[in-house]
Amino acid sequence: MKLRTYGERGPTVILVHGGPGAPGSMAPIARELSDTFRVLEPWQRRSGGAPLTVARHVADLDELVRAQCPDERPAVVGSSWGAMLALAWAAAHPERAGRLVLIGCGTFDIASRHRLETTCDARIDADLARELATLPSRIPDEDERLAKIGELVFPLYSYDPLGPCEHGPCDARGHRETWADMLRLQKEGVFPRAFERIDAPVLLLHGAHDPHPAREIRASLEAWLPQLEAVEWERCGHYPWLERFVREEFYATLRKWIGGADRHER
């Protein structure tokens, strides 16, 4: 994995990007936190060779934690798919997990995904639908096409963003392989049931304008994470660090949570 580091002092925070296959989006959070935290921003393994799986990403993240935080239980902050990966890793290695933050967490059941798709479909106008339909003929490279799709649908996921979402090179094959494996694990009943192994504090941060349905996602997690706490903001979409009306409150909430301590972490 490619690893970008920020800051030299303070507790360690690991930022887990979404996608799958869309690295770089967490860079603004890393820069913001680097004054008081040691921040690690790994870019997840790209596709190639054997198909990517959730287990492979979990093993990669655990290797990073063991190498970079041998005497520490780091806070892990995941966005979208990254929140799902953070949970999967913490369930596999609860003894190494510090405080968890789930930003715009992805879905763990069919009903939530249907609600997400219905909301997005309702926000797509005719012009955007035509542009999305012509992308395969205009952009033959699937990695570049995935990046363009992200750019085009960004407004559907945002309320009043201060700017675009940063990203590195996308990995369309990695996206397909990883998400297919997550869906398989959900169908087999592995997730979200496995999350009952997590004893770390968990905070869910969500925007009311995010097409990912906050109420349904929270309900799917609470049965297995009784310690789950949640904050939902109005006038906020999928990327609260970019939202004009909640950016400052988002960072204040995030800093307070990951900077906290309790008996579990001492």
Side-chain angles (χ1 to χ4, degrees):
M1 291 191 300
K2 177 179 179 177
L3 177 64
R4 301 199 293 194
T5 62
Y6 307 75
E8 299 178 353
R9 300 179 181 178
T12 301
V13 179
I14 299 175
L15 304 181
V16 187
H17 67 74
S25 61
M26 304 290 274
I29 300 178
R31 292 191 293 266
E32 179 71 22
L33 297 179
S34 64
D35 59 342
T36 50
F37 296 95
R38 173 178 174 249
V39 185
L40 308 179
E41 184 206 358
W43 287 19
Q44 294 154 35
R45 179 187 297 261
R46 292 182 64 84
S47 60
L52 286 176
T53 63
V54 174
R56 177 68 267 171
H57 288 299
V58 166
D60 285 345
L61 182 54
D62 193 57
E63 181 179 349
L64 172 71
V65 172
R66 287 185 285 108
Q68 296 287 333
C69 314
D71 303 313
E72 183 181 5
R73 298 176 71 162
V76 179
V77 180
S79 170
S80 198
W81 146 253
M84 304 173 81
L85 176 55
L87 287 169
W89 168 76
H93 303 283
E95 74 284 356
R96 286 196 273 278
R99 290 175 166 245
L100 304 178
V101 182
L102 318 175
I103 306 172
C105 187
T107 59
F108 289 100
D109 58 76
I110 294 173
S112 296
R113 279 191 290 281
H114 177 71
R115 177 81 179 276
L116 166 63
E117 292 165 2
T118 300
T119 301
C120 286
D121 287 346
R123 295 178 182 178
I124 295 177
D125 61 22
D127 290 339
L128 178 56
R130 281 192 294 271
E131 189 162 7
L132 290 170
T134 62
L135 281 182
S137 61
R138 293 190 292 112
I139 307 178
D141 183 276
E142 64 174 356
D143 293 339
E144 294 178 6
R145 189 162 65 245
L146 180 59
K148 185 62 176 180
I149 291 171
E151 176 187 326
L152 291 174
V153 303
F154 176 73
L156 308 182
Y157 287 77
S158 303
Y159 185 83
D160 188 4
L162 293 165
C165 188
E166 295 185 26
H167 64 82
C170 290
D171 180 9
R173 175 183 163 187
H175 176 90
R176 286 194 307 274
E177 293 173 349
T178 302
W179 189 244
D181 192 52
M182 171 55 77
L183 294 181
R184 176 187 65 84
L185 292 167
Q186 292 183 20
K187 185 176 181 180
E188 294 176 0
V190 175
F191 297 129
R193 179 182 292 273
F195 303 154
E196 65 182 349
R197 306 187 192 114
I198 300 172
D199 60 355
V202 184
L203 177 64
L204 176 66
L205 301 178
H206 217 95
H209 193 69
D210 187 342
H212 293 78
R215 182 179 301 176
E216 288 87 342
I217 292 170
R218 180 176 180 178
S220 71
L221 294 175
E222 283 180 326
W224 313 107
L225 292 167
Q227 73 273 37
L228 180 71
E229 298 183 35
V231 176
E232 183 176 355
W233 290 291
E234 299 292 333
R235 301 197 298 176
C236 178
H238 194 54
Y239 310 96
W241 63 93
L242 298 176
E243 291 286 355
R244 183 181 311 277
F245 297 107
V246 303
R247 180 183 182 278
E248 292 185 7
E249 187 176 349
F250 163 76
Y251 279 122
T253 302
L254 182 61
R255 285 177 178 276
K256 182 177 180 180
W257 179 264
I258 62 179
D262 55 28
R263 288 182 298 174
H264 165 84
E265 295 156 282
R266 293 191 183 112

